Structure formats: structure tokens, C-alpha cells
Amino acid sequence: MTDSASMPAPEKIPFWRNPTIRAYGFQAVMLVGLVLLALVIYRNTLANLTLRGINTGFAFLSNEAGFGIGETSAIPMINPGFFYFLFSTLGVALGLFLLFRYLIQAEGNGKNRFMLAAGGVLFIGSLGCFYTSISLVETYTYTHAATYVTALVTGLINTLKVAVLGCVLSTILGLFIALARLSPNWLLKKLAHAYIEINRNIPVLMHLFFWYFIVFQRLPGVRQSASLFDTVFFNNRGVYLPRPVFQENFALFFVAIFLSLVIVLFLWLHGRKRQGLTGKKTPLMVPCLGVMIGLPALVYLFTGTPFHFDYPVLKGFNFKGGMTLTPEFMALVTGLTVYVSAFNAEIIRSGIESVSKGQTEAGRALSMSEGRIMRKVVLPQALRVIIPPMTSEYLAIAKNSSLAVAIGYPDLVSIGGTILNQTGQSIEVIGIWMTVYLIISLLISIGMNWYNAKIRLIQR
Amino acid sequence: MKTTVQPYRGDRPPIFKTGALNWMKNNLFSPWYNAVLTVVTGALLYILVTPLWRWGVTNACFGTTPDVCKDNHGACWAFIQDMWPVFMVGTYPSDQRWRVALAAGLVAVLIIATLFRALRKQRVLHLCWVLSPIVIFILVRGGEVFHLSHVPSTQWGGLMLTVFLSLVSMIFAFPLSVLLALGRQSDMPVIRSVSVAYIELVRGVPLISILFMASVVLPLFFPPEMEFSKIMRAVVGITLFFAAYLAENIRGGLQGLSQGQYEAADALGLGYWKKTGFIILPQALRIVLPPMVNNFIGILKDTSLVGIIGLIDLLQVAFAATSNPKWLGKIEEAYLFVALFYWIMCYSLSKFSRILEERYQL
């Protein structure tokens, strides 16, 4: 009692030393500072723009572009047919999702039966809609007379093309390099190590320049083209490939193939589920083969060949027909793939090495085969380590595809650069770039995070 | 009965169980498919390396004049021998190149001095390091100090520019990234959301768009009287870009620190800045030193993009040198030379980062 009486009354903390109030003060100062900075920048920018006679706003986007683009692709027109197509695709995906949810869950109860039925109906119905919608989608391509928007969309499609191809190819190549790096063969191991160390310590722009100026531009001229079985030609104007030409009813054929794949997957998962529940194996070989061959064959009988190949042929000074991959495209995809595959290989290798040796040995003790140990024991655990850094590599590919501007491949940045030079609308163009790349990055992150959450170790 | 004891004759174990042959058997030819793999890899290596060797060494020619390379199928190293100062300093005036060489020598002396353990703790050496950027900047730029003629930054180029851009960007990006990382960990919602927004925005867009922004839009933000040199714009762009990446690394260090350190600092009654400056940052920065070196490798490689906004860095100097009428089209040699430089810098830095990692046993 005496203790507390002898204690001096607690000194009142002055308000400027109160942490809460200080925090508010800090934040208010920061906010005011940022707003002031933004205002100053805004005023300066307006003054500078009027000085240079540049109008602000996005009105210029509907002006005629007037420049040529080396690589154009079909852009779907935004009309009811396109939305029909979009929604039926979504319906197919949703139906598939419901179908497979039923199979992945262990027990089958009434609610799940309902899900199965709903999924099946949705899937079949949407597939029908999808088939009818294909002919309703109209497309247009970029020409000199098209608007700046069309030019930017063409650029965006080119960017996406390179990014997706780069992600897929660099993952496959990286996986092979990683396996070579882990191989017991000394020579192969050292070679893979050298590949990784050489490629990842050289700037990506240098890779692009190497493939563009030293490889693809130094290929022989048109008349001396190098050829592969007289169907694929390499020369300094690009790579010429046979192009599939689709017949009238081609879509039905592909729908049939897709449907048969889904049925096989369904049967397989169903068999696996049954084995899990009852321990009985379902013979699947015959029905699967039957579906795989039977369904497309049936469609084939009705519709005839779905497509034939149009081969490139040397006529006069250039190749006619077929499909051309420009040297810029080839250089960009090859350069990005080689550069990123070195990083991917290291990521995959460290992921596989992170799985403890005891796991492999336990697999062997259970007399599993080496391949099965890899697939069922090591890889699922390694993937948890691999996915997060791999995500940032995919993001890097999407962002590095913007280096296309250095070798003249018409991607979003390079077309935007042309527009920037023509119109002087620098703020708007850079704003468009940043928004588009932010959206792409966000989508990749969301997708990979979803996958990561899916395979993550579930701790009970 | 007499038993015969075989005397030990010093028999060696069979040659296939030890030595080079055993190593080869185990590492190259052990199961049959490994032997196939070895043969295929060896063949591939042979196919790749022989033409390169023939081009670069056997058929190559040396000298300093273009005519030694006439009717020669190999590499023309005479080009490199003649032009290598240009690769180092770009269009820096040739009679002033000694200044750059002197600056490089100063740095080399400092590095060698730092390698000695006894000197490492000396205050004088630390002071030298801190002052060295200023001295080097004055030495290279000149401008009526010590009667050195002024060399405008438009004439800087080559390896010098690459190193300059990456070092200066790193020096500026470091404090900014520490603030951003601390801001992201802060309890104050405004500061945290501003830091998060900045970091995620910058990490979501390509460097090239930031460089374009720095070179085209940045001058619009300031009053028209203000002039920015191209190099300064590039430095601003690279700094802003890498600060975000660096901040994420430093945040990793801040999170890697045990909660007890924060609590202990609080228990000692330290304020925020004292806690951060004396307790948290010294430990967190030590953890993130290796990833920071890797980040610097990233900066070094990505400075090559400044060529797109019109600076002549190490990569672009290869183009500039091969467009010289005397050495037209010697692009392979130029590329190999430049690639070698990038490779040596990045590879040694990555080795350095690995050594740091081992030293701190992370």
C-alpha cells in the first residue's frame, strides 16, 4: 500500500510524444506532401504540354495510324457472336470443372451426383453452343488505314504470343537442362552447368541481338534456303512452315477430338476413384482406345478431311504459300527461351534437390520403380519449392518480351513507341503500356498463386 | 608341417577399382545408357566447339590494321586490338583517357587494400571508400577543377558508362529501398499502402517502360528551364525501378529477423529510429547481402537497355565500333568481346555472393 502511495503520480505524456498522435501526424504530413508533389507535377506537365502544343487525352487513339506492321494477326470483332463464343467457352470450362470436381472428391453422395449431372448437361450444351458460335466470330486485321487502337491491339497480341511461347518453351528446355545437371554422367553434368553459367550471366538484350544479328540474319538468302525435308525452309527472311488450311467442317473434328480426350480423362479418373473405394481395377485400355479412335473417325467419315497443308514453294524471288515466322519473332522467342531456361533449370534443380534423400529411399524400400518415385514422390514435393520462383521467371518473360523494340518486332512497346513518335502523346502511351503490363503481371500472379495454393502441403 | 605364408608383395588393387579408369567407369560409362549419353554429348560438344575454335583461334588474325584480315575466314582480333579503348570509354576524348584509367586504378588500389584483413578496420580506408565516388566523378567529368578540361556526359560510353550507371543507380536505390521496405512493414496505413503501391506498380511493369518514362515524360514534370542530361534520366529510371526489387529483398531480411529482436529493442526503450538503425537494420542487411549482390548483377545486366533510349553503353558500343568504315561488319568479334566482359563481371559477382552466403552460413 505504501509503495503505490510513495510513487509519484504518472507524468502526463505531452500529446506530441503520444505514439498514436505522432503516427497520425506523420501520415498527414506524408499525404499532404504527396498531394502537393502531384499538384506541382500536374501543373508543370500542363504548362509543358501547352508549350509544345500537345493535346492531352485519349482522343488520338481513333485516328488513322498510317504505318505498316510487319506481323499482324486476326483480331476478333466485339459483336454478339464474339460474346456468344466467349460465354460458350466459359460454359465448357465450368462444365468440365464441375465434372472433375465430382471425380476428385473421395465419396459420392447425393449432392455430388447432382453436381455431376449439372456439369455433364452444362458441358455438352456449351460444347454444342461453342461449335455453332465458331462461325459467328468475325475477325479483322490491321491495315495502314486502321486506327491506333487496332495497331495497339495487334501489338498486344504479338506480345502475348511471344510471352506464352517463351514461358512454355523455356520451361521445357529448363527441365531438360535441370535433368542433365542432375545426371550421374559427368560430361553431361558439366555441359549443363556451363550452359547455365554462360547464359544467365549475359544480358538478355545481348541474347536477342546475338540471335537476331548473328544467327537469323546471317542465314542464307532465299534462293539458297536451308530446308528440312523440303517442307520447312530457313533463310534470312524468316522460317517458312507448312500452314494448315481448314475445311468447312474442321471445327466438328476438333470438337470430336476434344470430347474424346475429356471422355478418356473422365474414364481414367473414374477408374482411379473406383480403385480407391473398392480396390478393384477397371480395365480401361479398350474403351479408351475405342473412344480416342472411334469418335474422330466417325466425324471424319461424315465430314471428310478437316484440313490439308499448304506447303511453301519458291516462286520467283520469294516463297509463296505456307506460314512465315519472321526473323524478329524467331530471335525474340529463341533469345528469351535460352536466357530464361538457364534460370528455370537452376530453379527446377534446386527444387528437386530440396526433396530429402530419405523420400527417394523410402520409395525404393516400397519397391516403386524409379520413374514412379520421380512422378509420385519427388516431383509433387519439389513443385512446392519450384512454383514461387518460377512465377517470377514467367513474369520476367512477359516483361522482357518488351525488348522486342530493340530488334524491331512489332510488340506493344514497339508499336506504342511508333505512335509516341508520331503523335507525341507520351504520357498516354506510357500509361497504356504500364496498365497492360500490370494487368498481364496480375493475371500471371493470380494464376500461379491459385496453382500454388492447390498443390500446397495441407497441414492438419 | 610347414605352412607357406605368402609374403606381401605390395600388390596394388586392380586398376579398374581405383584411379582414372575407375572414375571414368563410374562417371561416364557405368550402365550402358550412360556410355551412349557420353558419346552423344561428346559428339555434340565436338560439333559445337571445333568450328568455334577454328574461327576464333586457328584461323584468327592479329595485328592493328584492317588489311591483316583480308581474305581470312577466321576472327579478326585486330579489330579488338585496335578498338578496345573505345569499348572501354566510348567517345571519351582519346587524349583524356588517362583520367578514366587513373580512376579505375584508384578503385583497384582500394579493392586490393580492402582485401587485407589488417587494413579493413582502418577509419582511413572507410573514408577513402566514401570519398572515392566524388573524386572519381570530378576526375572523369573535369570542368575547371585542377585544370582538367570538361568532358560532357554525352561523350561517356562503353564499359565506363555501364559501370557508372549500375553503381550510381545502386547507390541511390539503396536508401530509397530501405525506406520502402520499412514503409511496407510499418503499422501506419497511409505509409504502408503508398509503399506497397509503389513496389507492386514498379515490379509489374517492364524496365523499358520506366526508362521511356524517365527519358520522355520526366522532363515534362519539371519546369521547362530545368535540363536533364540523358545519363541522368537513365539513372533516375534505373534507380526507381531497382529500388522496388531491392525493397522486396530487404523486406525478406526484415521478416527473417526473429521477433525477439524487435521486442528486446522495445524493452530497452529505444525509439523507432534508434531501434531500426542500431538493432534491426544492421542484422537484416547482413542477411540480405547475398541477394543484394544478385540484385546488383541484375542492374548490371539491365543497364544494357539504356541503348534503347540512345546511350552508348558497353553493348551499343559494339554497334558503334562496327559501323566504323575501317572495321565494317566485324560484329561477331565485337559481340564476343562484349559478352566476355559482361560474363566476367556477372560471374565473379555471383561467385562473390556465394562466398558471402557461405561466410554468414545462411
Side-chain angles (χ1 to χ4, degrees), chain A residues 18-98:
Chain A
N18 182 333
T20 327
I21 292 174
R22 276 166 74 113
Y24 277 121
F26 261 134
Q27 297 184 72
V29 168
M30 175 123 176
L31 212 56
V32 170
L34 279 178
V35 169
L36 278 182
L37 187 72
L39 273 179
V40 169
I41 286 176
Y42 180 71
R43 237 191 43 191
N44 280 335
T45 311
L46 275 192
N48 278 315
L49 286 177
T50 42
L51 204 71
R52 293 169 202 208
I54 301 170
N55 292 321
T56 48
F58 289 93
F60 73 99
L61 282 176
S62 51
N63 292 351
E64 189 185 308
F67 55 85
I69 295 179
E71 209 171 312
T72 56
S73 34
I75 306 167
M77 227 166 322
I78 308 293
N79 58 13
F82 177 69
F83 283 111
Y84 184 38
F85 174 77
L86 207 66
F87 284 125
S88 54
T89 316
L90 281 178
V92 170
L94 191 65
L96 269 183
F97 176 73
L98 288 179

Side-chain angles (χ1 to χ4, degrees), chain A residues 60-69 142-152 154 415 418-419 422-423:
Chain A
F60 73 99
L61 282 176
S62 51
N63 292 351
E64 189 185 308
F67 55 85
I69 295 179
Y142 176 84
T143 55
H144 283 266
T147 58
Y148 284 130
V149 182
T150 316
L152 284 172
T154 307
I415 286 175
T418 312
I419 296 174
Q422 274 191 5
T423 61

Side-chain angles (χ1 to χ4, degrees), chain B residues 1-270:
Chain B
M1 220 172 131
K2 228 172 109 183
T3 52
T4 50
V5 179
Q6 288 285 321
Y8 175 66
R9 289 205 213 98
D11 279 355
R12 297 251 171 98
I15 197 156
F16 277 100
K17 298 281 177 204
T18 55
L21 277 176
N22 178 55
W23 181 89
M24 273 168 76
K25 180 175 162 260
N26 280 344
N27 289 295
L28 293 175
F29 302 106
S30 163
W32 62 270
Y33 54 81
N34 236 340
V36 173
L37 221 55
T38 305
V39 171
V40 170
T41 315
L44 193 73
L45 206 62
Y46 181 78
I47 293 170
L48 281 176
V49 169
T50 352
L52 205 64
W53 178 265
R54 214 172 287 149
W55 173 79
V57 181
T58 325
N59 290 343
C61 50
F62 303 88
T64 45
T65 47
D67 34 288
V68 292
C69 293
K70 270 182 191 156
D71 28 83
N72 188 310
H73 301 297
C76 179
W77 297 123
F79 161 57
I80 301 294
Q81 276 167 297
D82 188 38
M83 296 292 272
W84 75 268
V86 177
F87 280 91
M88 296 300 109
V89 293
T91 51
Y92 203 85
S94 52
D95 55 331
Q96 302 291 326
R97 278 175 194 155
W98 60 269
R99 282 156 54 176
V100 183
L102 186 63
L106 278 178
V107 176
V109 167
L110 275 180
I111 289 175
I112 290 169
T114 314
L115 287 179
F116 289 105
R117 227 165 256 278
L119 289 174
R120 215 174 285 171
K121 291 271 155 67
Q122 298 287 318
R123 275 282 161 85
V124 186
L125 191 66
H126 297 176
L127 195 69
C128 282
W129 270 114
V130 172
L131 287 181
S132 63
I134 302 159
V135 172
I136 288 169
F137 187 72
I138 290 171
L139 192 62
V140 171
R141 190 169 172 275
E144 303 318 313
V145 203
F146 310 119
H147 302 291
L148 291 171
S149 61
H150 176 61
V151 181
S153 64
T154 45
Q155 293 185 348
W156 300 4
L159 179 67
M160 182 183 98
L161 182 64
T162 295
V163 173
F164 173 84
L165 282 177
S166 32
L167 280 179
V168 172
S169 305
M170 187 73 181
I171 291 170
F172 285 131
F174 178 66
L176 184 59
S177 65
V178 169
L179 286 181
L180 281 170
L182 289 174
R184 197 171 180 162
Q185 295 289 91
S186 157
D187 299 327
M188 302 181 216
V190 173
I191 289 177
R192 190 175 61 233
S193 44
V194 168
S195 311
V196 170
Y198 178 83
I199 291 173
E200 294 305 329
L201 181 87
V202 170
R203 273 158 41 97
V205 299
L207 173 59
I208 189 81
S209 66
I210 301 231
L211 278 178
F212 263 111
M213 180 153 157
S215 90
V216 186
V217 180
L218 192 71
L220 293 178
F221 287 168
F222 290 92
E225 312 83 73
M226 274 178 83
E227 284 279 326
F228 290 98
S229 71
K230 263 186 187 171
I231 290 186
M232 202 160 138
R233 294 179 201 180
V235 165
V236 170
I238 299 173
T239 303
L240 291 180
F241 184 72
F242 272 102
Y245 285 83
L246 213 51
E248 281 298 89
N249 275 343
I250 292 174
R251 181 171 73 115
L254 292 177
Q255 285 176 340
L257 227 55
S258 83
Q259 199 58 39
Q261 297 291 333
Y262 291 85
E263 283 161 9
D266 284 336
L268 288 174
L270 296 179

Side-chain angles (χ1 to χ4, degrees), chain A residues 139-458:
Chain A
T139 58
Y140 61 103
T141 34
Y142 176 84
T143 55
H144 283 266
T147 58
Y148 284 130
V149 182
T150 316
L152 284 172
V153 173
T154 307
L156 175 63
I157 290 176
N158 284 340
T159 293
L160 292 178
K161 223 159 50 177
V162 168
V164 171
L165 210 57
C167 286
V168 173
L169 291 180
S170 68
T171 308
I172 297 171
L173 189 59
L175 181 65
F176 278 113
I177 303 291
L179 291 179
R181 182 104 160 72
L182 290 170
S183 119
N185 189 314
W186 181 84
L187 192 60
L188 194 59
K189 196 161 59 184
K190 290 289 158 195
L191 197 64
H193 190 62
Y195 175 92
I196 291 170
E197 290 298 349
I198 289 174
N199 283 315
R200 71 172 180 177
N201 284 318
I202 290 176
V204 57
L205 194 60
M206 184 125 210
H207 278 275
L208 298 188
F209 282 158
F210 169 77
W211 287 102
Y212 186 57
F213 290 110
I214 295 186
V215 179
F216 287 106
Q217 283 211 332
R218 294 287 174 88
L219 287 175
V222 175
R223 289 183 167 276
Q224 288 83 38
S225 297
S227 80
L228 213 66
F229 310 118
D230 271 336
T231 47
V232 182
F233 296 91
F234 299 89
N235 60 45
N236 56 11
R237 291 196 201 165
V239 178
Y240 293 80
L241 300 167
R243 180 171 60 97
V245 180
F246 296 109
Q247 312 289 12
E248 202 149 312
N249 283 320
F250 77 97
L252 199 58
F253 187 73
F254 284 108
V255 166
I257 289 182
F258 179 66
L259 196 62
S260 63
L261 280 179
V262 169
I263 292 174
V264 166
L265 197 60
F266 188 86
L267 286 176
W268 180 67
L269 281 175
H270 192 77
R272 207 179 68 167
K273 187 176 179 182
R274 189 157 161 262
Q275 194 183 1
L277 290 177
T278 63
K280 280 181 201 149
K281 273 198 171 176
T282 325
L284 281 174
M285 198 63 181
V286 178
C288 281
L289 272 180
V291 170
M292 276 296 279
I293 297 167
L295 204 57
L298 201 67
V299 174
Y300 184 82
L301 278 182
F302 274 109
T303 60
T305 26
F307 61 88
H308 68 269
F309 282 110
D310 177 24
Y311 293 100
V313 183
L314 184 62
K315 272 183 188 154
F317 293 109
N318 209 345
F319 279 92
K320 292 275 173 359
M323 187 166 68
T324 320
L325 303 176
T326 56
E328 292 83 20
F329 175 79
M330 291 298 294
L332 190 58
V333 171
T334 326
L336 282 179
T337 302
V338 168
Y339 178 71
V340 178
S341 72
F343 289 89
N344 284 350
E346 276 299 90
I347 291 169
I348 295 172
R349 178 192 65 87
S350 62
I352 291 177
E353 280 185 346
S354 76
V355 179
S356 82
K357 216 169 162 223
Q359 298 283 331
T360 320
E361 285 164 355
R364 287 196 191 123
L366 291 171
S367 79
M368 291 167 90
S369 71
E370 291 295 319
R372 215 179 161 76
I373 292 172
M374 196 61 172
R375 267 182 296 128
K376 301 273 180 189
V377 179
V378 177
L379 272 186
Q381 300 185 62
L383 270 181
R384 294 192 192 112
V385 183
I386 291 173
I387 296 297
M390 207 73 150
T391 311
S392 46
E393 288 309 319
Y394 289 159
L395 290 171
I397 293 185
K399 283 181 275 173
N400 278 338
S401 69
S402 61
L403 296 184
V405 66
I407 56 170
Y409 176 74
D411 81 321
L412 182 70
V413 169
S414 131
I415 286 175
T418 312
I419 296 174
L420 196 155
N421 285 337
Q422 274 191 5
T423 61
Q425 306 278 2
S426 49
I427 299 176
E428 291 84 350
V429 169
I430 290 173
I432 292 172
W433 283 345
M434 290 191 165
T435 318
V436 168
Y437 278 105
L438 270 179
I439 292 172
I440 294 176
S441 302
L442 207 65
L443 288 179
I444 295 179
S445 302
I446 289 175
M448 294 302 275
N449 283 345
W450 173 80
Y451 185 61
N452 198 21
K454 197 97 198 140
I455 60 163
R456 140 188 128 242
L457 193 66
I458 295 161

